[in-house]
C-alpha cells in the first residue's frame, strides 16, 4: 500500500506534512510526500513567517517519479499555495493514481468561519473543481460552507450541507459540526459508500479552537482507510484520535497555534487501528 501526501512543510506548528507523514507511516503503509511550500511556521496565528513556494519543482518531481513507474493506492492533498497548484494536483492524480486508487482532498482554506490569509473566492471556485475529482473530501465546517456557497452561520444544517457537498464528491466527511446528540457533540458528518446514508459520529466536546486538528483527523482517516477499514471505522478511529489529542493539548496547556500534542495519543490510535484492521480481514 503506497500513499502520497501532497501538502506544505510548516517547519513549526504541527500541521500539514509534519503531521501527515508520521501518522500515515505509523499506520503501517508507505507514505511518500510532495511538498507544496516550505514555511517557517504555518500562517494561522504567527506573523513574520517565511514562505517558499515549491510550484516550480513539482513538474520535474512528477517527471522523475514517472521514470520510476511509481503509482499510488491513495493520494491525499492538503494545503495548496496557489490556483496553479490545484491544477498540478489534478495532473498528479491523472498520472500517478492507480486506476482503482482513492483520491482524498482536504480542501484546506479556512476555519472558524473565515478563509485563511492567501485564500480568496477565485481559489474557492477552483477548489470546488478539485473536489469534483475526489472520492473522499474532508472539509471542516468553514470549508464545507465555502464549497457549497452556504453562509457559515447556517452551516450546521448538516443534512442539507452534506447533500450539497455530495454534488461535488461521492463521500464527503465534514468535521467540526457543533450539534448535540446523546449528550455528546457531533464532530463528523459523513456519507459512506457502503450504505449511501448520511451518518454522524459524536465525541466529547472540548471548548476551544485547536490548530492542526483537521490535519490529524485527515491523516488518521487516510491511515485507517489504507489499512482496509470501512468508512465508519475510519471516521471513528480518526475522530477518537483527534479528540484524545485535543484533550491532551488542553491538559498540557500549550498554545493552540503550536498544534495538537498528538504524539502521546498515537500508540492508542495505532493499537485500535491494528485491532480494527485485523477484524477487517
Ligand atoms: O492546518 C492547515 C494549514 C496548513 N498549512 C498552512 C497553514 C494552515 C492553516 O493555517 O497556514 C501553511
Amino acid at each position: 500500500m503506497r500513499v502520497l501526501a501532497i501538502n506544505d512543510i510548516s517547519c513549526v506548528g504541527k500541521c500539514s506534512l509534519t503531521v501527515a507523514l508520521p501518522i500515515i507511516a505509523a499506520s503501517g503503509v508507505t507514505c511518500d510526500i510532495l511538498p507544496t511550500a516550505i514555511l517557517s511556521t504555518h500562517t494561522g496565528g504567527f506573523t513574520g513567517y517565511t514562505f517558499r513556494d515549491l510550484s516550480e519543482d513539482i513538474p520535474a518531481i512528477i517527471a522523475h517519479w514517472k521514470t520510476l513507474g511509481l503509482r499510488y493506492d491513495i493520494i491525499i492533498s492538503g494545503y495548496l499555495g496557489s490556483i496553479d497548484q490545484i491544477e498540478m494536483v489534478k495532473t498528479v492524480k491523472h498520472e500517478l493514481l492507480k486506476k482503482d486508487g482513492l483520491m482524498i482532498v482536504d480542501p484546506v482554506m479556512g476555519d472558524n468561519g473565515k478563509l485563511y490569509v492567501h485564500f480568496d473566492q477565485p481559489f474557492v471556485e477552483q477548489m470546488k473543481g478539485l473536489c469534483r475529482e475526489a472520492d473522499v473530501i474532508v472539509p471542516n465546517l468553514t470549508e464545507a460552507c465555502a464549497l457549497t456557497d452556504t453562509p457559515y452561520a447556517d452551516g450546521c444544517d448538516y443534512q442539507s450541507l452534506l447533500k450539497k457537498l455530495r454534488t461535488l464528491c461521492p463521500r464527503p466527511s465534514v468535521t467540526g459540526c457543533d450539534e448535540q446528540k446523546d449528550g455528546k457533540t457531533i464532530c463528523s458528518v459523513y456519507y459512506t459508500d457502503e450504505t449511501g446514508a448520511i451518518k454522524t459520529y459524536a465525541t466529547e466536546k472540548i471548548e476551544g479552537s485547536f490548530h492542526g486538528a483537521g490535519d490529524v483527523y485527515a491523516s488518521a482517516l487516510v491511515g485507517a482507510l489504507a489499512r482496509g477499514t470501512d468508512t465508519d471505522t475510519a471516521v471513528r478511529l480518526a475522530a477518537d484520535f483527534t479528540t484524545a489529542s485535543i484533550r491532551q493539548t488542553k491538559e498540557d496547556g500549550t498554545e493552540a497555534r503550536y498544534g495538537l500534542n498528538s504524539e502521546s495519543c498515537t500508540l492508542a490510535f495505532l493499537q485500535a487501528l491494528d485491532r480494527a484492521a485485523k477484524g477487517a480481514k
Side-chain angles (χ1 to χ4, degrees), residues 8 10 15-16 39 42-44 79 108 116 211-212 215:
D8 72 274
S10 288
C15 64
S16 342
L39 299 85
H42 61 71
T43 68
Y79 186 95
V108 176
Y116 296 131
H211 197 275
D215 304 69

Side-chain angles (χ1 to χ4, degrees), residues 152-223:
Y152 179 71
D154 305 344
C156 236
D157 175 4
Y158 55 80
Q159 297 274 344
S160 79
L161 198 57
L162 262 259
K163 273 189 191 132
K164 285 192 234 169
L165 282 173
R166 220 184 178 199
T167 64
L168 293 177
C169 166
R171 287 161 71 189
S173 164
V174 180
T175 54
C177 268
D178 229 358
E179 211 154 287
Q180 296 290 309
K181 188 179 177 187
D182 306 328
K184 292 181 168 178
T185 298
I186 292 172
C187 58
S188 301
V189 189
Y190 61 100
Y191 258 114
T192 122
D193 265 359
E194 290 94 31
T195 63
I198 295 180
K199 294 197 170 179
T200 60
Y201 185 70
T203 57
E204 131 201 34
K205 163 94 177 155
I206 303 168
E207 283 306 327
S209 175
F210 295 86
H211 197 275
D215 304 69
V216 171
Y217 177 84
S219 305
L221 190 82
V222 168

Side-chain angles (χ1 to χ4, degrees), residues 90-266:
K90 290 183 188 167
T91 305
V92 173
K93 180 201 162 186
H94 292 132
E95 304 207 338
L96 297 178
L97 186 66
K98 284 183 183 169
K99 243 199 164 95
D100 56 353
L102 201 63
M103 183 72 204
I104 302 179
V105 171
D106 184 356
V108 176
M109 294 187 294
D111 206 359
N112 300 313
K114 289 199 201 104
L115 295 181
Y116 296 131
V117 278
H118 306 302
F119 294 102
D120 54 17
Q121 195 55 35
F123 187 93
V124 172
E125 295 306 318
Q126 293 302 312
M127 185 56 88
K128 290 179 188 173
L130 183 57
C131 290
R132 284 194 192 93
E133 302 247 347
D135 302 294
V136 177
I137 55 173
V138 287
N140 61 28
L141 188 56
T142 302
E143 292 152 351
C145 288
L147 289 169
T148 56
D149 303 306
T150 307
Y152 179 71
D154 305 344
C156 236
D157 175 4
Y158 55 80
Q159 297 274 344
S160 79
L161 198 57
L162 262 259
K163 273 189 191 132
K164 285 192 234 169
L165 282 173
R166 220 184 178 199
T167 64
L168 293 177
C169 166
R171 287 161 71 189
S173 164
V174 180
T175 54
C177 268
D178 229 358
E179 211 154 287
Q180 296 290 309
K181 188 179 177 187
D182 306 328
K184 292 181 168 178
T185 298
I186 292 172
C187 58
S188 301
V189 189
Y190 61 100
Y191 258 114
T192 122
D193 265 359
E194 290 94 31
T195 63
I198 295 180
K199 294 197 170 179
T200 60
Y201 185 70
T203 57
E204 131 201 34
K205 163 94 177 155
I206 303 168
E207 283 306 327
S209 175
F210 295 86
H211 197 275
D215 304 69
V216 171
Y217 177 84
S219 305
L221 190 82
V222 168
L225 292 173
R227 289 288 301 279
T229 67
D230 61 17
T231 307
D232 291 339
T233 308
V235 166
R236 172 175 59 80
L237 292 170
D240 286 351
F241 178 37
T242 309
T243 304
S245 303
I246 291 173
R247 194 185 306 118
Q248 184 65 49
T249 309
K250 189 145 192 180
E251 252 172 61
D252 293 344
T254 48
E255 280 184 61
R257 64 181 178 164
Y258 281 97
L260 292 192
N261 298 341
S262 58
E263 298 86 351
S264 59
C265 306
T266 305

